Amino acid sequence: VTDNRQPPLPEGLAKAAASVLADLPADRGPAWLHAGAVHAHTASTGFYRHRRPRITTLRGGLDCIAKQHPALEYWGALAAELDADTERRITAFWRAHPLPADHDAKVETYPLGDAWQALSLAAVKSRALCQTPTWAGALLARLSYTRALDEWDRPRIIDPACGTGHLLVEAFRAAHALRARRPVFPDPDTALDAVHGVDCDPHAVATAAWRLLTLWRQRHNLHGVVPDLADAPLHLAVADALLDDTEPLLAPGSYQAVIANPPYITPRDPAATAAIRRRWPEVCHRRFPLSLPFHARMMDLLAPGGHCAQLTSNAFMKREFGKRYVEQYLPRFQMEWVIDSSSAYIPGHGTPTVIMVHRNTAPDDRPVHAILGKQGEPSRPVWPAIGHVAEAIVAEVTRIDDYDRFTRRAAAHQVPTTRVR
Ligand SMILES: C[S@@+](CC[C@H](N)C(=O)[O-])C[C@H]1O[C@@H](n2cnc3c(N)ncnc32)[C@H](O)[C@@H]1O
């Protein structure tokens, strides 16, 4: 794996941020400070370069971003909350602790998402935000969306717990990368149009929106076109993916691929727990974690034959709450992959994980690919993507999946022959 797209955040960033956050209101401070990172990153990509009047302040930058697309209005409302002193301190903080830089020719945006995890304790503790490492995101996209791209014209994909958008970025990349092989997604617009995301955290969704638009704009710029961002087909929503049945993006059966790294926490609020239990009785048993109803939601979003790939907690395999899920729910679907990722290093994350891929069809006698872990990391890798376990998983999946694709395509091209005597 030569994935250098997700460099680690600067050493000590969270600790340094804590001293700034101590003087800001607990409920708004993390969002304000993170907005400073979004502004600094936007400046580093050259986005403000030709804006008139010139953008010189954090508030000016956020107002400028907010005007680009209706999905970005959040940033303008946030700018209006900042007073001059807070703005000065936030700007000084990011000057002293710059995020790993992006530049015009190679916009990646991963550090923006990772910074929200480093700054917002509420996002981590109460909503279980944990950024998906790029190697895992690329793998989930490959095992679901690349399959769907082989099978449908312009398949649609959603991440119903999209957070700051790491998996959406992978999905956009997968769709746009394909333009060279097949004219399914001939331009960045059609690729972006296929990608959908929902999360209950408005700040994370606003971050995902700006990241996707930044990538979309950069892809257009590569071809010498300067697009109007307001025209970008962006499909993101702030919603409770487990309980909101009125959100159009959560309409059942609408997608050919669904990917997620769902929250693994056990819900604490008794009323919410009861409502989730009522809505997803087929998987909610005893003290269930949110990952189980999330899987049920993911399968519910899939069209018949669609592909679902998730990185999730493996606790259901060992605990009583997983009994109903394992014995009654999972056997309804075709399982395609089960990959033990429990000893892969995931920053800020102690929960042992598994990658599972299902297809929305009844099970048949096709084989399930299983990759079982034998050894853990000898020491903590600095870059998650080049840990030994991540590298071994990616290499093995690539080997098996390349062979599978070859045999599927060969079978599809086989012409029935008639023997002539
Ligand atoms: C493990 S993180 C996903 C990270 C994301 N895929 C990424 O790597 O950028 C889990 C996400 O689930 C979201 N979440 C938790 N409960 C939710 C709910 N009921 N509806 C929608 N999103 C929810 C959290 O806000 C968090 O962003």
Side-chain angles (χ1 to χ4, degrees):
V1 181
T2 50
D3 186 344
N4 61 0
R5 295 180 292 155
Q6 192 181 19
L9 294 178
E11 194 76 34
L13 179 82
K15 209 165 155 205
S19 66
V20 177
L21 290 172
D23 295 334
L24 299 177
D27 57 337
R28 299 304 294 144
W32 294 351
L33 193 53
H34 186 258
V38 171
H39 168 64
H41 179 269
T42 304
S44 78
T45 63
F47 184 75
Y48 300 138
R49 203 175 291 143
H50 303 297
R51 310 274 149 190
R52 295 291 174 268
R54 278 189 58 217
I55 307 286
T56 52
T57 62
L58 168 56
R59 280 182 288 182
L62 296 177
D63 279 334
C64 169
I65 293 172
K67 285 191 193 113
Q68 304 301 318
H69 193 284
L72 300 170
E73 279 162 14
Y74 173 92
W75 297 108
L78 194 147
E81 298 173 6
L82 298 174
D83 61 46
D85 183 48
T86 308
E87 182 183 36
R88 208 168 26 249
R89 291 173 57 201
I90 292 173
T91 308
F93 177 83
W94 292 110
R95 243 183 234 132
H97 305 89
L99 290 181
D102 273 348
H103 51 79
D104 273 2
K106 186 175 163 292
V107 178
E108 298 293 0
T109 76
Y110 290 96
L112 275 187
D114 296 342
W116 182 231
Q117 179 177 330
L119 299 179
S120 173
L121 207 62
V124 173
K125 292 268 179 242
S126 52
R127 295 186 290 273
L129 173 69
C130 178
Q131 301 293 119
T132 317
T134 47
W135 68 267
L139 209 67
L140 296 182
R142 174 181 187 137
L143 296 178
S144 60
Y145 198 46
T146 308
R147 282 292 301 277
L149 285 162
D150 282 343
E151 294 164 4
W152 280 275
D153 281 339
R154 301 203 180 169
R156 289 152 50 93
I157 179 166
I158 186 168
D159 177 353
C162 69
T164 63
H166 277 13
L167 301 185
L168 301 180
V169 164
E170 294 301 335
F172 174 70
R173 266 179 213 292
H176 193 234
L178 195 79
R179 76 199 178 285
R181 272 195 282 140
R182 269 197 302 155
V184 181
F185 295 107
D187 53 47
D189 295 19
T190 43
L192 185 61
D193 203 17
V195 175
H196 304 71
V198 168
D199 199 284
C200 63
D201 175 354
H203 188 92
V205 172
T207 305
W210 186 231
R211 292 181 62 191
L212 282 176
L213 286 176
T214 302
L215 253 75
W216 176 82
R217 171 180 146 265
Q218 188 236 4
R219 294 294 197 276
H220 270 295
N221 278 350
L222 288 179
H223 303 288
V225 196
V226 182
D228 186 344
L229 267 74
D231 296 336
L234 195 63
H235 307 294
L236 297 179
V238 180
D240 183 330
L242 294 178
L243 295 176
D244 187 341
D245 283 318
T246 57
E247 167 52 51
L249 293 190
L250 295 172
S254 308
Y255 301 91
Q256 285 72 36
V258 181
I259 46 176
N261 174 7
Y264 319 150
I265 46 172
T266 306
R268 287 196 203 114
D269 174 40
T273 309
I276 296 169
R277 202 185 285 282
R278 267 197 309 278
R279 175 68 182 80
W280 305 103
E282 63 271 48
V283 290
C284 294
H285 181 54
R286 302 209 167 182
R287 283 200 68 225
F288 62 90
L290 291 179
S291 47
L292 300 198
F294 252 96
H295 190 202
R297 169 62 95 186
M298 291 170 79
M299 296 308 294
D300 172 67
L301 289 167
L302 277 180
H307 302 272
C308 166
Q310 58 176 323
L311 170 72
T312 191
S313 160
N314 72 10
F316 72 84
M317 301 179 189
K318 301 173 257 182
R319 308 249 180 84
E320 187 59 26
F321 69 74
K323 198 169 160 41
R324 184 179 300 171
Y325 177 65
V326 170
E327 293 179 359
Q328 295 173 25
Y329 184 76
L330 290 182
R332 289 198 215 158
F333 305 103
Q334 174 72 29
M335 178 177 244
E336 302 201 305
W337 290 82
V338 55
I339 301 168
D340 176 11
S341 46
S342 59
S343 40
Y345 169 58
I346 299 181
H349 201 278
T351 313
T353 53
V354 61
I355 292 172
M356 290 198 295
V357 183
H358 288 88
R359 188 157 197 191
N360 188 16
T361 55
D364 59 24
D365 56 1
R366 265 173 294 184
V368 177
H369 297 305
I371 296 182
L372 311 181
K374 287 206 303 207
Q375 266 181 292
E377 291 292 347
S379 59
R380 196 173 105 172
V382 180
W383 291 43
I386 51 176
H388 294 280
V389 177
E391 279 199 331
I393 290 175
V394 173
E396 198 54 16
V397 170
T398 307
R399 188 182 68 76
I400 300 171
D401 192 46
D402 280 351
Y403 181 74
D404 264 10
R405 289 189 81 198
F406 172 77
T407 46
R408 274 198 306 273
R409 285 179 172 208
H413 285 97
Q414 223 162 40
V415 180
T417 51
T418 320
R419 193 171 282 231
V420 181
R421 282 175 186 272

